[in-house]
Amino acid sequence: MSADVQLDNVWVKFGDFVAVRDASLTIQGGEFFSFLGPSGCGKTTLLRAISGFQHPSTGRILIGGKDMFGIGPNRRPTALIFQNLALFPLMTVWQNISFALEVKGMDKRARRKKADELLELVALPGQGDKMVTELSGGQKQRVAVARALCAEPEVLLLDEPLSALDLKLRQHMRTELRAIQQRAGITFIYITHDQGEALTMSDRVAVMRQGVVDQIGDGTTVYDHPETAFVASFVGENNSFTGTVTEITDGLAYVQTECGLMRSRTSSAAPLRKGDDAVVFVRPESIHFCGDDTRRDENGLVATLAHQEFEGHFWHLALKTESGHDIRMSVMNDGRSEVHEIGASVSVGFSTQGAIALAPGELAAD
Amino acid sequence: MRNWLRTFLARNGIGLSVYLLGAVALWVIVMIILPQLFMLDFSFRNNWQQIDPSRMGGPDDVYTMVNYHFLAFGSPNNPDPFNVVDVTVFFRTIVAAICVTLFDLALCYPIAYYLAQVARGGKARLLVLALIIPFWVNELLRAFAFRILFGEEGTINAILMGIGILSDPIDFVREDVALYAGLGYAYILLMIFPIYNVIESLDKNQIEAARDLGSSWWRIHRRVVIPFAKPGITSGCTMVFMLSAGALAAPQILGGPSSLWFTQIIYQWFNTGSNWPRGSAYAIVLMLTCVLLVLILMKLFKVKIGEIGR
Ligand SMILES: Nc1ncnc2c1ncn2[C@@H]1O[C@H](COP(=O)(O)OP(=O)(O)OP(=O)(O)O)[C@@H](O)[C@H]1O
Ligand SMILES: [Mg+2]
């Protein structure tokens, strides 16, 4: 069973400090939904509000259409996986997993059976009698998932559960979690500051900034069609050029920047007008070498190659324009790209579709 | 051991190492081992009442069990099958000390939990202060204060009669209520702090996880907090039990006229009775019984002696 989760104008304040500001959104039943944002932006606070550990200062939270006001965490159809897992160190693995059933007063044999089934589900068969301290990080992770699933929640809440794992294991657990979610068929609300995690696993992502939900959409929407400067700079890498809009025609913006006039697409959700300040965002992979023949629909720049890094399938290049602006660019290592010496003057370009002009705003810290 | 010594020397240098080791050795030997050995030795000796002083230290001054025998069976012309007075007092002391310990545990566990997990910042500090400040007052004065509180004309009786619950005053001192309350109060800090220390190190998320999985408060304590706090609980209970079984001032001041504490008997042998060997024997029996009980308690709760020190 899965339930939808609806937030209506939820605010969470700690004294004068606003941790969550006016969050309104609906998470569908059975959806894998992620909150993505930098550290301290209020993700955990929002999750704690959904699970019932934190009262919203104002606003309503509905789970399965039912207002959760005044319902404690032990009586909500949610289960929370904590940032540090919070397994019970003095219990065995199977006792940990079946704790929710022990609470319901189920007898020991049935509990053990259910725990073994869940161990099977999270690919840890036969490990029930170990103590949790005897498990590896990834195994603890799975036990935490099993323990939460055992409560048969309609909504599973996960607070950066993979952050303590090393890269390889993290990537493996992503697929694993996604598979478990599909098998269990329940709503997953996942919190992370790792965009790779959010983009690969989720049906939809909500990008948060200082307590505000900036944009909600699936991975490609958030990546390709950012609506705020923060989303553009936080999700994936982006070059930014600040300037002023000189003209808007056919949904294209002409922006006069310190690196010359640029033409780019705009966001329909955040339209710009002539004379507005604007920031043009260009992804490193949208920039390419263009020799001498800059095509007419493209934007061209001349810069010096300052630094380059080889990363197997990509070259990461750092350029500096005459005006002193740093530009990052990625070139596919397919043997067809030009090779340049450090210090060489190169001319690069990007298409109008490879750039987007947005209203200026807070940028994510690098 | 050799390795440990070497790293210890390397870390602190020769001078400091010798000083530290010497100080610890002195402390252990002079303060702990020697007095106990003297007591043990004394407890097997004859007193001047049983042996002529001129023969003391001579060939006739041999080790004897008379002092222990006296505790169990009394003087040779005792008509009862055993030493009724002393043995009764002994067991009553042990049982009462156990009761005081349990009472303190019931009182202090919630306080320790509140301090460690619920209260924050200023409130916690204030509460700690409120717990500690009364102990700046001398132990004897505190005992007398309890006497005033619980006495027949004391504050408590005055209040109870004032609001009409009682028509006649109760003599709390005669009923030993004052004694138990005084003993219980005297050691609450020794119960609170070990428990507080352990619970403080319990991850809040564990409590929340249990709650999130549907647990009632009662079950959270039974399954998560108490098992975790066991070393602290055992340590607190051990100290409170040992100290209240061995307390002297509180029973002297707060005890009813008809009820003796075992330590008072020991004190009498040493002091008015001038029979140090017998006093020693009594003290040794009390100490061994307490140690034995504590060991049983630890065995029962599966706590190792190392954990208690935490
Ligand atoms: N109990 C609290 N009292 C006061 N302020 C709090 C409290 N809990 C959180 N905050 C503040 O709210 C803000 C958001 O905290 P939150 O834990 O939700 O961040 P987060 O997005 O989960 O960050 P991270 O990725 O580092 O876990 C932070 O600035 C934090 O200092
Ligand atoms: Mg967090």
Side-chain angles (χ1 to χ4, degrees):
Chain A
M1 254 243 293
S2 68
D4 59 338
V5 176
Q6 190 184 337
L7 307 185
D8 282 346
N9 306 98
V10 172
W11 291 67
V12 181
K13 292 181 197 160
F14 297 111
D16 285 338
F17 179 78
V18 181
V20 175
R21 184 183 297 270
D22 200 20
S24 291
L25 52 98
T26 303
I27 299 162
Q28 309 297 339
E31 188 176 14
F32 198 124
F33 190 95
S34 293
F35 285 98
L36 172 64
S39 184
C41 71
K43 305 181 298 288
T44 298
T45 307
L46 195 55
L47 205 68
R48 288 172 66 83
I50 298 173
S51 58
F53 287 111
Q54 178 68 54
H55 294 292
S57 312
T58 53
R60 290 194 312 163
I61 294 173
L62 295 94
I63 300 178
K66 197 164 154 228
D67 192 346
M68 286 292 127
F69 182 80
I71 298 182
N74 53 339
R75 292 189 294 120
R76 294 195 181 189
T78 58
L80 178 58
I81 297 182
F82 289 81
Q83 209 157 352
N84 66 355
L85 305 184
L87 295 174
F88 305 127
L90 300 174
M91 299 185 201
T92 60
V93 166
W94 82 266
Q95 285 172 332
N96 259 283
I97 293 177
S98 63
F99 188 78
L101 303 176
E102 183 190 320
V103 167
K104 286 180 190 144
M106 190 183 273
D107 75 86
K108 190 172 163 186
R109 192 117 51 81
R111 274 190 280 146
R112 179 73 210 231
K113 191 160 157 285
K114 182 75 190 171
D116 285 339
E117 281 171 29
L118 281 162
L119 279 169
E120 205 79 42
L121 178 83
V122 295
L124 277 179
Q127 309 264 30
D129 286 314
K130 283 194 176 167
M131 297 304 285
V132 287
T133 43
E134 297 167 0
L135 300 179
S136 73
Q139 291 171 329
K140 281 186 191 150
Q141 187 55 60
R142 290 158 212 243
V143 172
V145 173
R147 183 179 71 175
L149 288 177
C150 192
E152 300 192 335
E154 293 170 36
V155 181
L156 191 66
L157 308 166
L158 305 97
D159 189 355
E160 308 205 27
L162 304 185
S163 54
L165 305 182
D166 62 62
L167 184 68
K168 264 263 153 41
L169 195 53
R170 207 152 62 209
Q171 286 170 340
H172 176 72
M173 285 305 296
R174 281 183 199 171
T175 1
E176 197 97 322
L177 276 179
R178 180 75 213 204
I180 290 172
Q181 189 253 345
Q182 271 156 4
R183 251 175 290 163
I186 59 178
T187 315
F188 269 43
I189 302 182
Y190 192 93
I191 278 189
T192 180
H193 60 255
D194 178 337
Q195 38 167 315
E197 242 167 71
L199 298 181
T200 45
M201 293 196 285
S202 332
D203 296 314
R204 283 193 303 156
V205 179
V207 183
M208 280 185 81
R209 166 183 59 95
Q210 291 188 3
V212 180
V213 176
D214 254 17
Q215 186 176 352
I216 301 174
D218 59 22
T220 52
T221 308
V222 170
Y223 192 85
D224 290 336
H225 305 282
E227 290 170 7
T228 68
F230 178 78
V231 174
S233 59
F234 185 71
V235 182
E237 277 200 76
N238 242 329
N239 293 296
S240 59
F241 303 91
T242 38
T244 317
V245 180
T246 56
E247 198 184 326
I248 299 270
T249 34
D250 299 338
L252 291 187
Y254 291 71
V255 183
Q256 185 63 47
T257 71
E258 66 223 344
C259 300
L261 184 69
M262 293 184 179
R263 284 191 300 163
S264 71
R265 66 200 163 91
T266 55
S267 166
S268 53
L272 291 167
R273 277 186 319 237
K274 187 176 167 181
D276 284 353
D277 286 340
V279 185
V280 178
F281 288 97
V282 188
R283 298 259 179 223
E285 66 269 22
S286 300
I287 303 180
H288 48 84
F289 290 121
C290 49
D292 300 327
D293 58 344
T294 313
R295 270 169 281 152
R296 271 196 53 240
D297 65 334
E298 301 208 349
N299 300 288
L301 286 168
V302 178
T304 326
L305 181 57
H307 183 69
Q308 54 186 353
E309 263 172 20
F310 180 59
E311 205 200 64
H313 57 314
F314 265 110
W315 282 96
H316 293 294
L317 310 181
L319 312 177
K320 214 175 193 72
T321 64
E322 265 166 40
S323 53
H325 200 90
D326 289 313
I327 297 175
R328 283 162 302 174
M329 120 179 221
S330 306
V331 179
M332 191 80 118
N333 181 28
D334 55 1
R336 282 183 297 173
S337 310
E338 304 163 44
V339 179
H340 294 276
E341 300 276 309
I342 302 278
S345 172
V346 294
S347 88
V348 295
F350 49 90
S351 67
T352 31
Q353 287 307 308
I356 186 163
L358 295 166
E362 185 199 346
L363 300 185
D366 281 310
Chain B
M1 185 68 195
R2 287 249 315 272
N3 269 338
W4 178 85
L5 206 61
R6 201 169 304 141
T7 47
F8 187 80
L9 274 171
R11 183 144 24 106
N12 298 309
I14 303 258
L16 188 59
S17 297
V18 169
Y19 173 73
L20 285 175
L21 290 178
V24 170
L26 197 73
W27 179 58
V28 169
I29 293 170
V30 175
M31 307 289 283
I32 301 177
I33 297 180
L34 280 184
Q36 303 289 350
L37 281 182
F38 274 123
M39 287 275 277
L40 196 65
D41 178 64
F42 256 134
S43 73
F44 290 109
R45 289 201 180 271
N46 283 300
N47 198 30
W48 52 268
Q49 285 143 336
Q50 290 125 14
I51 180 171
D52 190 85
S54 62
R55 289 188 300 155
M56 260 187 180
D60 293 339
D61 191 2
V62 289
Y63 282 131
T64 163
M65 293 295 291
V66 285
N67 299 310
Y68 293 95
H69 190 271
F70 187 91
L71 169 57
F73 301 105
S75 60
N77 41 19
N78 174 15
D80 300 316
F82 60 97
N83 186 346
V84 177
V85 175
D86 291 0
V87 172
T88 320
V89 169
F90 175 75
F91 282 110
R92 204 177 51 213
T93 303
I94 297 287
V95 171
I98 291 175
C99 291
V100 167
T101 308
L102 292 179
F103 171 75
D104 265 7
L105 178 60
L107 183 75
C108 296
Y109 174 82
I111 297 178
Y113 178 82
Y114 178 82
L115 271 178
Q117 290 283 338
V118 185
R120 38 188 84 174
K123 230 191 254 169
R125 246 170 286 145
L126 244 141
L127 185 57
V128 170
L129 224 56
L131 284 170
I132 291 180
I133 285 181
F135 288 88
W136 291 356
V137 176
N138 178 286
E139 185 191 358
L140 291 175
L141 288 183
R142 247 183 299 127
F144 278 113
F146 264 71
R147 227 192 140 89
I148 296 170
L149 268 178
F150 283 100
E152 213 162 348
E153 263 126 56
T155 321
I156 293 181
N157 271 319
I159 292 173
L160 288 179
M161 294 199 317
I163 54 178
I165 294 179
L166 292 180
S167 49
D168 297 311
I170 300 176
D171 189 345
F172 291 111
V173 174
R174 187 178 296 279
E175 305 295 331
D176 281 340
V177 174
L179 173 58
Y180 296 149
L183 279 176
Y185 186 67
Y187 306 119
I188 52 168
L189 291 186
L190 294 173
M191 186 64 97
I192 289 177
F193 284 118
I195 302 180
Y196 166 82
N197 267 337
V198 184
I199 296 186
E200 230 240 316
S201 66
L202 172 63
D203 177 12
K204 249 192 188 58
N205 285 351
Q206 299 223 349
I207 296 168
E208 293 193 336
R211 183 141 182 78
D212 190 52
L213 292 168
S215 226
S216 58
W217 280 119
W218 181 79
R219 188 183 294 274
I220 290 175
H221 283 281
R222 195 171 64 88
R223 291 291 278 142
V224 179
V225 187
I226 293 179
F228 189 85
K230 230 163 45 180
I233 292 176
T234 317
S235 158
C237 287
T238 304
M239 283 198 275
V240 171
F241 171 70
M242 289 280 198
L243 287 175
S244 47
L248 183 61
Q252 292 277 49
I253 297 164
L254 293 169
S258 60
S259 70
L260 270 179
W261 207 250
F262 194 66
T263 47
Q264 288 174 284
I265 297 183
I266 298 176
Y267 181 70
Q268 281 169 9
W269 283 127
F270 273 102
N271 197 20
T272 43
S274 292
N275 193 339
W276 283 40
R278 186 159 294 161
S280 300
Y282 277 41
I284 293 277
V285 168
L286 180 64
M287 186 186 76
L288 288 183
T289 312
C290 288
V291 169
L292 195 72
L293 280 173
V294 167
L295 289 179
I296 291 173
L297 178 81
M298 279 166 46
K299 188 100 195 150
L300 229 54
F301 286 100
K302 301 197 189 77
V303 176
K304 295 196 193 65
I305 200 132
E307 289 178 272
I308 282 192
R310 282 201 308 201

